[in-house]
Amino acid sequence: MGNLLGSFNARNVNLNMDDKPTFDPQEGFSYERKPREMIAKEEDLISARIPPKYRDYCAHHLLEYQVCRYKNVPLMYKCAHEKHAYLNCEHQDYVMRMKEFERERRLRVRENRLIGVA
Amino acid sequence: MHQKFSICFISFFFLFFFMLMNLFMMIYFIISNLTIMIEWEIISFNSISIVMSILLDWMSLLFMMFVLLISSSVIYWKKSYMSSEINLNRFIILVIMFVLSMILLIISPNIISILLGWDGLGLISYCLVIYYQNVKSYNAGMLTALSNRIGDVMILMVIAWMLNYGSWNYIYYLMFMKNDFFMNVISIMIILAAMTKSAQIPFSSWLPAAMAAPTPVSALVHSSTLVTAGVYLLIRFNLLLEDMFMLKILLLFSGLTMMMAGISANYEYDLKKIIALSTLSQLGLMMSILSMGYGDLAFFHLLTHAMFKALLFMCAGVLIHMMNDNQDIRMMGGLSIFIPVTSLCFNISNMALCGIPFLAGFYSKDLILEVTMMSNLNMMVLYLYYFSTGLTMFYTIRLMMYLMINDFNLMSVYNLYDEDYIMLKSMMILLFMSLISGSMLSWMIFCYPYMIFMSLNMKLMVIYVSLMGGMMGWLVSKMNIYSVNKFLMMYNLNMFFTLMWFMPNLSVYGFNYYILSFSKNLYKNIDMGWSELFSGYGMFNLIKNYSLISMIYQMNNFKIYLFSFVFWMLLIMLMILV
């Protein structure tokens, strides 16, 4: 229901959870926005056999977590710090994506208002 | 049974030893991300090769470890529970064959060897359900076997269809064949097979009926091994099944199974059936999270659920023994005073089932519910999930009130004892596991942890629902025979819920009855009728008639000679004259 209620109003402007951003990323900002940078290297991810769907912007934390797990077998609870760092990063990433979603929704509403769709 | 080592202890020892071996291998495999496949070609015929293959990865090893742990402690427990059994060896051998066929199913990535394990499970579960020989057991066994047979036939059809691909090692081309139409047909059949084995809604009547089996069998078979085979099969096929329409139907059916089982458990008074229905409810939970695409969560819940459900059945077995082989919970009560240790195990496993924090069930169930909350689904699915969670608490509290809190009924006084150390020892193993396995597994198997982010009330929704369910359970258990019974005002609805949405009636009278009477008619009209007339009896009749005709000639040959002589003479004379 987190997603259901969060995206409820977006249906009015035909915006769904999987849609990509359609507006200029710079629109409405006074300063220049930088694209996010990927910290983990591709070859590290490949050598650590991280599946493609986990190769996101928090993958460097994930690598650290995997290293810690490898060192602390089988007492993996010792990696609680690394796991928390990874999940925290994922949380920040989620918040950022939700903000982008909301920006997209508001920009669409604004566009509709300017055109006069009601 | 005064030998030094009984068959139970020997079986326990070997199974436990294999369990330890699997544990160490599993830790090694999971940390080095290793998968081993061993193939042995049995026969190669043109382009088709039939191979026997073994797949060892962390998933199969972990599942095997859990199956072996549960079966070893159940077999050890059986030494005391079945001590008066005459054919104990036969029973133990049946159970070990069952465990072996489950292991064959777990380690095989090949649909043919899966069928071997799958059929082995079906057949031996039939033998185990009818172990106590009476009419009720026979009926339950037949219902179990026939319901599972649908799944067997589905797997057979999958084998036949996979002939087109030249190999039965489906694991190799799950991703490759994803958009193939015929692969979709195959996966629909696989889903149907899994639905029969895991007792999802159209086929769910056999699971409570199979409680006619001895309690150790229920502890092993109907909680952790047999019914999870379907879930495990779908976990293996998970890559293929993503984004399929059939999965959405499965999501609906499994959600309804979850709710149906939860509601029916509240109307049930049979101790073992209540536990069976709660198993059904948890199976629905596993299947539904699986059909949302989270195979690892389903696997996690499968493992933790196996632990505490086996323990729950074992405690129920002890209780049934104590209550003079009576399973009715209305006959029990106040047991926490008389048998404190068994009650402790019972309560802890029940609490783990409800998902009380930091027991085994909490880690898996809470994660599943939160992932559901995070994902992009409609309100109906969420309602099914959360309502069923409340229902779990509902029937658990009701059961606990009936067994532990309410007054003792003095049904049996002589039998009450809590000093059976063989039973207690094996229960302690599972008790320890159902305390720690949730936390241990959640650290162990989730290499890539799930990020959960939601508002406070949504996070606490599980607690709210559980509290409400618990309160309802407490209220319902207060119901007395002289209290004003509103249930009678809705008698039909009551029957509807008590009889599991009429599913046993539908699948016995509504389905099997017509098929069986149809086949009776076929037997009467075809086997004994037309085909007998035309093939067996008819051929005999035909030959008999012909030989009767030739016999007429033989018996009357003098007359025929004379007659033919005269006839030919007349003919010749006529020719000469003319």
Side-chain angles (χ1 to χ4, degrees), chain B residues 217-231:
Chain B
V217 175
S218 311
L220 179 65
V221 174
H222 301 293
S223 69
S224 54
T225 47
L226 172 72
V227 290
T228 55
V231 181

Side-chain angles (χ1 to χ4, degrees), chain A residues 1-5 7 11 16-18 48-51 53-54 62 65-66 69-71 73-74 76-80 83 86-88 90-91 94-95 97-98, chain B residues 27-28 30-35 242 293-294 296 372-380 382 439-440 442-454 458 461:
Chain A
M1 194 150 56
N3 284 341
L4 187 77
L5 285 189
S7 65
R11 307 284 158 82
N16 285 310
M17 292 305 283
D18 301 330
R49 296 183 204 161
I50 308 283
K53 77 172 182 183
Y54 294 104
L62 187 60
Y65 179 53
Q66 299 296 327
R69 276 168 66 90
Y70 193 78
K71 283 180 182 163
V73 180
M76 299 190 182
Y77 61 87
K78 288 186 176 172
C79 302
K83 184 180 172 186
Y86 171 65
L87 287 180
N88 222 4
E90 283 282 337
H91 168 225
Y94 186 80
V95 170
R97 275 184 282 132
M98 285 303 117
Chain B
I27 291 171
Y28 176 68
I30 201 170
I31 208 63
S32 51
N33 206 351
L34 198 65
T35 305
E242 281 169 359
Y294 298 97
D296 48 349
T372 320
M373 205 58 133
M374 288 283 291
S375 57
N376 200 5
L377 280 169
N378 61 16
M379 211 66 152
M380 199 63 212
L382 272 173
S439 170
M440 187 191 84
S442 75
W443 281 108
M444 190 82 83
I445 67 177
F446 289 115
C447 298
Y448 313 108
Y450 281 91
M451 194 274 301
I452 306 288
F453 172 51
M454 48 195 173
M458 285 187 182
M461 187 79 88

